[in-house]
Amino acid sequence: MRKIEHIGIAVKDMQAATQIYSALLGYTHYKTEEVPGEGVNTTFFTCGDSKIELLEATNQDSAIAKFIAKKGEGVHHIAFAVDDINAEVQRLEKEGFVVLNREPKIGADNKWVVFLHPKSSNGVLVELCQERN
Ligand code: CO
């Protein structure tokens, strides 16, 4: 893993959350993007070498809607930047981690993404992400 690429935070109201995180960080977001396949709207803030990703559900079947219904708003996942996502998937499977999608899918912010089940990482949903060329 190269670095923490971003921390994903599940929010109920993107507009309100964007104001809160702009106030917290002292500057505003650099992009918003819908990921229709995941049923989410995203808003990104840079923070040094890392980012904050706010996630809002766009439908009731969205993983974010289910997460908020179960746990409320809050930290949803930690994303690590990797150079070779397929090699990392192989390595992590050997280590016993439960990979949710072995085939990388297209995520927000021009990334290939793979998720690891929280049960294999102490309750934390882990995202691997690799820049798409
Ligand atoms: Co993410």
Side-chain angles (χ1 to χ4, degrees):
M1 311 288 196
R2 271 201 300 118
K3 64 171 185 176
I4 292 178
E5 212 282 333
H6 63 267
I7 294 174
I9 299 172
V11 306
K12 286 183 185 167
D13 178 340
M14 184 61 88
Q15 207 180 341
T18 298
Q19 283 182 8
I20 289 166
Y21 277 81
S22 296
L24 177 70
L25 295 167
Y27 46 84
T28 195
H29 59 290
Y30 70 92
K31 73 149 52 169
T32 61
E33 184 181 347
E34 188 177 353
V35 187
E38 302 290 319
V40 295
N41 273 323
T42 65
T43 295
F44 283 90
F45 296 80
T46 55
C47 188
D49 240 8
S50 301
K51 297 165 189 161
I52 300 288
E53 174 187 36
L54 303 182
L55 300 142
E56 174 193 53
T58 55
N59 64 63
Q60 286 309 309
D61 296 327
S62 160
I64 295 303
K66 289 172 185 166
F67 177 90
I68 288 175
K70 207 169 153 189
K71 298 189 171 178
E73 292 184 296
V75 174
H76 177 258
H77 64 269
I78 297 180
F80 295 95
V82 300
D83 292 322
D84 183 341
I85 200 165
N86 292 307
E88 283 297 326
V89 165
Q90 285 194 356
R91 183 182 73 80
L92 293 166
E93 280 189 325
K94 276 187 198 144
E95 293 285 354
F97 291 93
V98 178
V99 177
L100 290 173
N101 59 300
R102 302 188 76 224
E103 198 62 41
K105 51 187 180 180
I106 294 175
D109 208 28
N110 198 41
K111 300 285 194 296
W112 290 113
V113 300
V114 167
F115 288 94
L116 307 183
H117 196 287
K119 74 182 175 191
S120 54
S121 42
N122 303 80
V124 176
L125 177 63
V126 171
E127 176 184 340
L128 310 178
C129 54
Q130 179 187 334
E131 203 76 33
R132 288 169 67 207
N133 297 316

